Amino acid sequence: MPRKDDGLCRFGTLGYAMAVHRRPLAPVICLFVSACAGQVTLIPPPTPIAAPIAKDDYKVRSLADVDPAQPLAGAMAGQTLSLFGREDLIARTSSDYKPTACSPIAGAGDAIGTIIERARKTSIVIVNESHERSEHRGFTARVARALRPLGYDVLAMETLSIPALGTPDKFLPPYLKRPDQLYFEDTDGYYLYEAGFGRLGREAKALGYRLLPYEERFSETAATLSLDEGIARRETAQAEQLAAYIAAHPKAKLLIHVGYSHATEVPRADGQRWMATRLKAITGIDPLTVSQTTCRGGGSRERLAVLPAEQRPGTFDVVVDHPTAKFVRGRPAWRVAAGDRVVSIPTALRPAKGWRIVEARPVGESEASVPMDRVAIRPGEDIALLLPPGRYQLKVVDVPMAAKE
């Protein structure tokens, strides 16, 4: 029997049809949306046995440290749960979701239009994100689309794995070994593991952006530094690597996606200078800096906000105020608004105990890819997948609880 799914009234009724796929033990679940074009087809795993966890998969092992019964107990649980598509579990307690009291800019245009106009006057645009909010990655994808016609052709991302100098080609991250590949792989970077970040990568690759890593390379001496010394060293290393690329490619236009304060364009009150401040000083180029982390929850729609008085003038050029996050069956509503379908996870694939990760990849794509969606679910939850129309191979991974000391 067809059923009405929460959050899908804008698309109409979600119906289910079962058919037999030619491969043994692989029934095809077709989900069709009667009120709009497009269909989502899910192909379950050939067998119900969940895949084992790889020894070097520290992201999945970080989820093993999160107690399903008390998921917010750990200090780093917020970022881990976000990586696995469960922002709904952290939104009520995370400061990155707490509404602020920022004032809107009266008469301001839309955020993307403003960025386009101001980006014409520079060759560097820096957009920051919260590592707990996938919507910020979706916004950067929109910025990437908007800036491509202006000649922006390099996407630099803090999260990209950066190999040590002299690393043999066979040991390079996949995005460097296979630059024409249409997707990121899970080993390309830490935060790229989150499906929304993977979508940003797919968008950038489709648009023809060159991907540029710029993170500080590993150093054994870093552990001996104080907090302030470590920040200064890291920010300097990031700025110098970006500046070196700009010097070697003077006609390049860069879109740089960073976390939090790395986009700060002026020295802080305590004298600390973050990456954007240092990059501006080294290159002499005044970047357009865009903050998504300063203001939030100010209205029902995305809007531009006034830089709060407690921030030093010039800290950011543009402040984007996203609405308070909402969720549809445990998943971020912004992805539904962007066109994803809300798709039920087959009952047979839901867990009886602990965490189970459900992944959906386009049929024929490598299991090493960052999937189109990835979500961790617990027993008794009716959590959905969010997918654009297409055919997807499902994979499930059961996560054993970490041993308690």
Side-chain angles (χ1 to χ4, degrees), residues 235-255:
E235 303 307 303
T236 298
Q238 290 185 348
E240 287 180 346
Q241 293 198 83
L242 289 165
Y245 181 87
I246 293 168
H249 304 83
K251 294 184 179 180
K253 291 189 173 185
L254 279 67
L255 170 60

Side-chain angles (χ1 to χ4, degrees), residues 96-127:
D96 287 2
Y97 286 83
K98 184 179 180 180
T100 57
C102 293
S103 300
I105 297 178
D110 69 280
I112 296 295
T114 298
I115 291 170
I116 290 173
E117 288 307 307
R118 299 189 67 170
R120 296 181 190 275
K121 303 173 185 178
T122 184
S123 58
I124 302 175
V125 175
I126 305 174
V127 183

Side-chain angles (χ1 to χ4, degrees), residues 215-235 237:
E215 182 57 277
E216 177 190 19
R217 288 185 168 87
F218 172 77
S219 171
E220 293 182 355
T221 62
T224 66
L225 302 177
S226 69
L227 176 61
D228 286 345
E229 290 171 338
I231 291 174
R233 174 172 170 159
R234 183 185 181 196
E235 303 307 303

Side-chain angles (χ1 to χ4, degrees), residues 52-86:
I53 302 174
K55 291 182 179 180
D56 60 349
D57 195 340
Y58 52 90
K59 298 162 192 172
V60 173
R61 295 189 180 281
S62 71
L63 182 61
D65 291 330
V66 177
D67 185 346
Q70 297 179 306
L72 301 180
M76 295 299 293
Q79 289 192 14
T80 296
L81 291 169
S82 178
L83 279 182
F84 289 93
R86 295 308 302 272

Side-chain angles (χ1 to χ4, degrees), residues 18 30 34 50 80 94 98 111 165 245 257 290 355 381 394 405:
M18 295 296 295
C30 298
S34 61
T80 296
S94 169
K98 184 179 180 180
L165 295 174
Y245 181 87
H257 184 81
V290 182
W355 292 107
E381 292 187 314
L394 296 184
E405 296 183 358

Side-chain angles (χ1 to χ4, degrees), residues 360-374:
R361 293 177 175 84
V363 170
E365 193 168 279
S366 168
E367 282 194 2
S369 73
V370 178
M372 290 295 284
D373 199 16
R374 169 185 278 137

Side-chain angles (χ1 to χ4, degrees), residues 199-220:
R199 301 270 192 105
L200 168 57
R202 291 174 189 266
E203 180 81 17
K205 285 172 170 283
L207 290 167
Y209 277 91
R210 176 174 180 172
L211 300 172
L212 178 65
Y214 66 90
E215 182 57 277
E216 177 190 19
R217 288 185 168 87
F218 172 77
S219 171
E220 293 182 355

